[in-house]
């Protein structure tokens, strides 16, 4: 019997709707580092996730990932204070393709709408640098619930 | 390194911060933080509310990175940190605890949504993130900002002081304080609550900038920001309330799922329906809590640390002014001239106005007018007495006579009669203009009726 995919079907549209996305990596001294990403795409196998980050943010993350592939991706929906964390290992990185740009912008727009819902004016975030992006793919190994409160951080998968 | 002092705007909790940590076996973790607090030029503090992965990671490996955002410009900064210690008492812990518990009390989550510790980190570097910069809003760039050095000038403080000295009565003084907070300092929504005759409760005695005045509304100690200010006798400033309510609600949902709290209900409190920023200042004279000054805004991040500092100092001055006014009116009351002989009974009914049904519930000590709540407690007992005496012809009253009336149950010392009369007068103006209390001299007033009354006493 095939095992359950790591990322459940019902979370796929949620992950791709336009969320606050944060990436965590670390260096050889166990110093954590992180940056924002503007979009996420769950692969059909539900085991791989690609995140899109602005190209200027990528070098620091890739320097870490090439030596230490452990990666954490936090996806959060601010208006509901719901969140998930995917932990896994770096697979590959490449420049995002032109045909991916529309989806990156759609998700970034969705995230900005989420921020507006919690009182952050859209004008404030209008100048964010979104494109070009680097696409970083990871193999997801564990999935955690990340809503604040007692039990936050418990594994879902 | 960028000085931490220059990033005070980032420490308001308006934009969520992230904390990146790493376990001893090299697995990174990212978590959203409700607040990052400035401690000193080399340290910040993060709230520790739940035992979670971040907490376990920093116990194993003290290195961390936190990303904070300037709400004025949306510029992000990365702070490299090293965990130093957890504080569970002291001024830093208290200041963080009060803010968190104020939010918790709004959401009925006291005891669940609470601070376990203030985790103090040393900051080894601060870097702006070049590509994560927002755009300064024209309104933010041009609007004079309280605390930016403009409003709290010596000239403005002198003007406030002059106006306070010129206020002839407590009633005028309260008006002057709130009017001046707006005209000189730009605080458009404000209220003053004084200790009520119920233990551990405050009652709004004056307010400004609200569609309904809200005079008479009550807050229990420990309820919301006002109640927490009263309980702790410390100022509290909160920005980005909407986000913090959402955060607290999310905590509440999880706590409920786990059976950690019963049904929670948001406590209705006086003030703006959806405030984004609140600043509460205790009005203290020596160690006695006279009341609370609360300032609100429907805009996020309206109040800055400097506002809190200035208003805390100002609060002491306002408290003394209010207490002096109370004492002066009491002294005036002793000197008040006796009333002239009682005139012939005055007809109580104005010709064309409908009659008002005034019901007094003796057990609950509250008055309804035409079925609507008007007032309760000592002000209700006073009004009931005045209406009865008015129906038998008296129209003019003295504070002194009320003070000596044992049926009102006023304490012998610090009866706060003047503030109760102000509250009653203002409630009548707001809710029942057919009945008016009009000051007619030092320590005396007149009861005027524009309607006929049906007085009904209930058990």
């Amino acid at each position: 019997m095939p095992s359950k995919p790591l990322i459940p079907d019902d979370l796929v549209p949620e992950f791709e709707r336009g969320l606050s996305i944060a990436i965590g990596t670390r260096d050889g001294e166990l110093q954590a580092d992180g940056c924002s990403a503007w979009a996420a795409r769950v692969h059909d196998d539900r085991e791989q996730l690609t995140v899109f980050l602005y190209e200027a943010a990528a070098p620091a993350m890739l320097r870490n990932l090439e030596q230490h592939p452990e990666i954490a991706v936090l996806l959060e929906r601010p208006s509901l204070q719901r969140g998930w964390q995917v932990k896994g290992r770096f697979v590959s990185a490449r420049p995002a393709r032109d045909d991916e740009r529309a989806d990156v912008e759609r998700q970034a727009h969705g995230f900005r709408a989420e921020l507006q819902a919690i009182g952050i004016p859209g004008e404030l975030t209008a100048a964010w640098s979104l494109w070009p992006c680097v696409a970083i793919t990871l193999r997801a190994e564990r999935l955690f619930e990340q809503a604040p409160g007692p039990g936050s951080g418990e594994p879902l998968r | 390194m960028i000085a931490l002092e220059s990033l005070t705007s980032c420490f308001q909790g308006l934009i969520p911060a992230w904390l990146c940590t790493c376990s001893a076996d090299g697995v990174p973790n990212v978590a959203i933080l409700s607040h990052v607090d400035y401690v000193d030029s080399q340290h910040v503090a993060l709230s520790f509310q739940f035992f979670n992965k971040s907490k376990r990671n920093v116990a194993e490996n003290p290195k961390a990175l936190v990303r904070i955002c300037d709400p004025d410009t949306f510029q992000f900064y990365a702070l490299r940190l090293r965990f130093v210690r957890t504080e569970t008492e002291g001024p830093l812990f208290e200041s963080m605890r009060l803010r968190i518990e104020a939010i918790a009390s709004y959401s009925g989550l006291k005891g669940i949504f609470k601070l376990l510790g203030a985790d103090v980190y040393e900051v080894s570097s601060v870097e702006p993130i070049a590509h994560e910069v927002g755009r300064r809003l024209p309104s933010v760039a041009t609007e004079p900002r309280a605390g930016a050095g403009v409003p709290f000038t010596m000239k403005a403080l002198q003007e406030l002081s002059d106006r306070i000295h010129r206020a002839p009565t407590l009633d005028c003084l309260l008006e002057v304080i709130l009017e001046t907070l707006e005209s000189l300092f730009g605080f458009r929504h404000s209220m003053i609550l004084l200790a009520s005759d119920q233990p551990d409760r405050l009652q709004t005695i004056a307010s400004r900038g609200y569609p309904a005045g809200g005079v008479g509304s009550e807050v229990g100690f420990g309820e919301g920001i006002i109640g927490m200010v009263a309980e702790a006798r410390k100022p509290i400033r909160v920005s980005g309330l909407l986000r913090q309510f959402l955060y607290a609600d999310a905590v509440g949902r999880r706590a409920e799922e786990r059976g950690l709290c019963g049904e929670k209900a948001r406590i209705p409190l006086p003030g703006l329906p959806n405030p984004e920023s609140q600043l509460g200042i205790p009005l203290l004279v020596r160690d006695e809590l006279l009341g609370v000054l609360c300032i609100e805004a429907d805009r996020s991040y309206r109040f800055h640390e400097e506002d809190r500092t200035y208003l805390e100092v100002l609060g002491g001055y306002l408290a003394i002014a209010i207490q002096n006014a109370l004492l002066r009116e009491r002294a005036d009351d002793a000197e008040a001239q006796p009333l002239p002989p009682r005139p012939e009974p005055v007809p109580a009914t104005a010709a064309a106005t409908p009659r008002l049904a005034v019901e007094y519930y003796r057990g609950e000590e509250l008055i309804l007018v035409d079925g609507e709540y008007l007032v309760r407690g000592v002000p209700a007992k006073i009004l009931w007495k005045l209406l009865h005496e008015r129906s038998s012809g008296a129209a003019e009253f003295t504070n002194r006579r009320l003070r000596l009336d044992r049926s009102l149950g006023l304490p012998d010392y610090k009866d706060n009669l003047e503030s109760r009369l102000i509250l009653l007068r203002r409630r009548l103006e707001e809710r029942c203009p057919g009945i008016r209390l009009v000051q007619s001299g030092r320590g005396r007033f007149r009861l005027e009726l524009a309607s006929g009354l049906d007085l009904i006493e209930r058990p």
Side-chain angles (χ1 to χ4, degrees):
Chain A
M1 198 172 95
S3 60
K4 278 187 182 172
L6 191 98
I7 301 172
D9 288 350
D10 61 330
L11 282 187
V12 175
E14 196 64 36
F15 281 13
E16 297 179 351
R17 64 175 294 128
L19 301 175
S20 164
I21 304 173
I23 296 171
T25 64
R26 57 96 172 179
D27 67 12
E29 304 294 317
L30 297 181
Q31 170 66 59
D33 201 353
C35 74
S36 303
W38 301 131
R41 186 174 67 78
V42 180
H43 292 225
D44 291 342
D45 63 7
R46 306 285 189 264
E47 301 288 339
Q48 292 191 82
L49 180 71
T50 295
V51 287
F52 296 82
L53 49 151
Y54 183 60
E55 66 173 8
M61 296 300 107
L62 291 175
R63 263 196 307 276
N64 284 344
L65 290 169
E66 280 159 8
Q67 299 296 316
H68 309 284
E70 297 88 353
I71 182 170
V73 179
L74 174 69
L75 303 110
E76 194 227 3
R77 189 169 176 187
S79 66
L80 298 181
Q81 296 282 321
R82 289 196 69 195
W84 303 268
Q85 184 152 194
V86 177
K87 291 194 180 180
R89 296 177 83 79
F90 170 64
V91 172
S92 63
R94 60 172 172 78
R97 298 185 305 266
D98 284 346
D99 65 351
E100 291 170 318
R101 180 172 184 167
D103 196 49
V104 168
E105 289 178 349
R106 176 190 64 78
Q107 290 196 36
H109 182 73
F111 174 38
R112 290 178 57 207
E114 281 284 316
L115 291 177
Q116 282 181 274
I118 62 164
I120 297 170
E123 302 97 296
L124 263 179
T125 55
W128 276 347
S129 303
L130 300 180
W131 193 261
C133 278
V134 168
I136 291 180
T137 298
L138 60 131
R139 177 163 298 283
E141 293 174 340
R142 283 174 295 166
L143 175 64
F144 299 88
E145 167 85 60
Q146 206 70 37
S152 178
E154 288 182 351
L156 283 174
R157 287 281 205 274
Chain B
M1 182 170 102
I2 295 170
L4 279 181
E5 292 82 354
S6 67
L7 301 181
T8 50
S9 303
C10 303
F11 299 113
Q12 315 298 320
L14 182 59
I15 312 289
W18 304 341
L19 175 67
C20 300
T21 58
C22 181
S23 64
D25 60 358
V27 179
N29 188 76
V30 190
I32 303 264
L33 293 174
S34 69
H35 232 91
V36 178
D37 276 71
Y38 171 84
V39 177
D40 59 35
S41 62
Q42 293 183 321
H43 296 87
V44 294
L46 312 184
S47 59
F48 158 38
Q49 289 170 255
F50 306 100
F51 284 99
N52 55 23
K53 185 62 183 165
S54 303
K55 187 70 182 166
R56 288 193 291 275
N57 281 356
V58 294
E60 297 173 2
N61 165 27
K63 295 173 191 170
L65 176 122
V66 72
R67 289 163 46 97
I68 56 176
C69 179
D70 183 330
D72 286 340
T73 62
F74 236 70
Q75 170 70 60
F76 278 84
Y77 296 86
L79 279 59
R80 288 187 191 280
L81 311 176
R82 173 174 283 274
F83 174 68
V84 180
R85 64 179 180 276
T86 298
E87 295 187 7
T88 54
E89 59 182 15
L92 172 67
F93 176 81
E94 276 304 300
S95 145
M96 293 172 76
R97 181 186 72 84
L98 289 177
R99 192 182 54 233
I100 286 169
E101 289 200 6
I103 300 295
S105 75
Y106 274 122
S107 309
L109 287 171
K110 264 192 144 181
I112 301 288
F113 188 67
K114 65 179 182 183
L115 188 69
L116 297 177
D119 286 345
V120 178
Y121 289 77
E122 183 183 8
V123 181
S124 58
S125 73
V126 181
E127 294 161 22
I129 299 170
H131 56 277
E132 288 187 37
V133 59
R135 177 181 292 160
R136 181 174 283 269
L137 290 177
S139 60
V140 172
T142 56
E143 190 174 324
R145 199 184 86 178
V150 181
F152 289 102
T153 59
M154 286 306 290
K155 186 170 182 299
L157 294 170
Q158 182 65 50
E159 176 65 25
L160 171 66
S161 178
D162 287 348
R163 292 186 194 182
I164 283 174
H165 283 301
R166 285 199 300 267
T169 61
L170 175 63
D171 206 3
C172 295
L173 174 66
L174 296 168
E175 284 298 320
V176 159
I177 291 170
L178 299 185
E179 192 280 322
T180 308
L181 285 174
E182 178 173 358
S183 62
L184 293 184
F185 305 112
F187 300 123
R188 292 177 48 218
H189 307 284
S190 59
M191 58 184 128
I192 293 173
L193 297 93
L194 296 184
S196 119
D197 43 88
Q198 307 294 314
D200 295 340
R201 293 194 76 77
L202 300 168
Q203 246 177 337
T204 309
I205 190 166
S207 66
R208 185 175 178 86
Y210 300 98
V215 168
S217 53
E218 295 187 23
V219 174
F221 280 28
E223 290 176 3
I225 284 163
I226 295 167
M228 286 302 296
V229 168
E231 190 172 274
R233 301 177 177 210
K234 302 265 187 220
I236 302 178
R237 174 179 59 93
V238 184
S239 299
L241 274 163
L242 172 61
R243 188 179 76 77
Q244 303 204 42
F245 287 149
L246 288 169
Y247 189 89
D249 283 349
V251 172
R253 279 197 301 274
R254 289 187 69 87
E256 225 172 306
E257 284 163 15
R258 278 146 206 274
L260 295 176
C261 64
E263 195 177 332
K264 57 190 170 47
R266 183 163 289 180
I267 298 160
L269 296 174
L272 294 173
N274 294 302
E276 266 292 295
S277 309
Q278 281 189 328
L279 174 59
I281 302 289
L283 300 174
L284 293 165
V285 179
R286 288 179 286 276
D287 283 336
E288 185 191 347
L289 181 83
L290 214 62
V292 171
L293 167 67
C294 180
I295 299 170
E296 296 187 302
D298 49 16
R299 183 155 66 79
S300 289
Y301 183 46
R302 172 65 180 83
F303 308 126
H304 297 247
E305 192 56 28
E306 298 91 331
D307 297 315
R308 186 174 96 151
T309 308
Y310 276 110
L311 282 166
E312 188 176 7
V313 174
L314 207 52
Y317 181 67
L318 299 179
I320 291 169
I322 291 170
Q323 192 178 58
N324 283 345
L326 283 164
L327 293 172
R328 192 174 59 231
E329 293 203 1
R330 190 169 177 151
D332 286 351
D333 166 26
E335 294 167 12
Q337 297 298 311
L339 291 174
R342 180 173 292 192
E344 289 301 307
V346 181
T349 313
T353 50
R355 296 181 69 80
L356 297 172
V358 182
E359 294 171 275
Y360 176 58
Y361 287 81
R362 181 171 290 281
E364 294 164 83
E365 293 179 351
L366 69 83
I367 285 182
L368 307 183
V369 176
D370 285 345
E372 297 287 331
Y373 170 75
L374 176 70
V375 73
R376 75 183 183 98
V378 171
K381 289 201 275 188
I382 293 173
L383 179 61
W384 191 244
K385 178 176 181 56
L386 298 178
L387 291 175
H388 262 280
E389 295 204 5
R390 180 70 173 79
S391 66
S392 61
E396 195 91 8
F397 303 88
T398 65
N399 294 7
R400 182 178 171 74
R401 207 166 123 224
L402 288 177
R403 183 162 274 128
L404 295 174
D405 188 330
R406 308 307 291 183
S407 71
L408 294 176
L410 292 168
D412 291 334
Y413 177 64
K414 289 189 178 168
D415 57 27
N416 291 333
L417 176 64
E418 285 71 20
S419 61
R420 314 253 183 273
L421 286 170
I422 291 172
L423 189 150
L424 176 58
R425 185 176 61 71
R426 292 183 178 207
R427 282 293 292 175
L428 288 167
E429 283 170 3
E430 268 182 28
R431 304 285 166 151
C432 185
I435 305 173
R436 296 179 62 217
L437 293 184
V438 182
Q439 189 100 22
S440 57
R442 285 163 57 191
R444 57 197 296 169
F445 60 93
R446 194 168 57 248
L447 178 66
E448 294 182 350
L449 301 177
S451 309
L453 304 179
D454 294 322
L455 302 181
I456 306 149
E457 187 161 337
R458 310 264 189 213

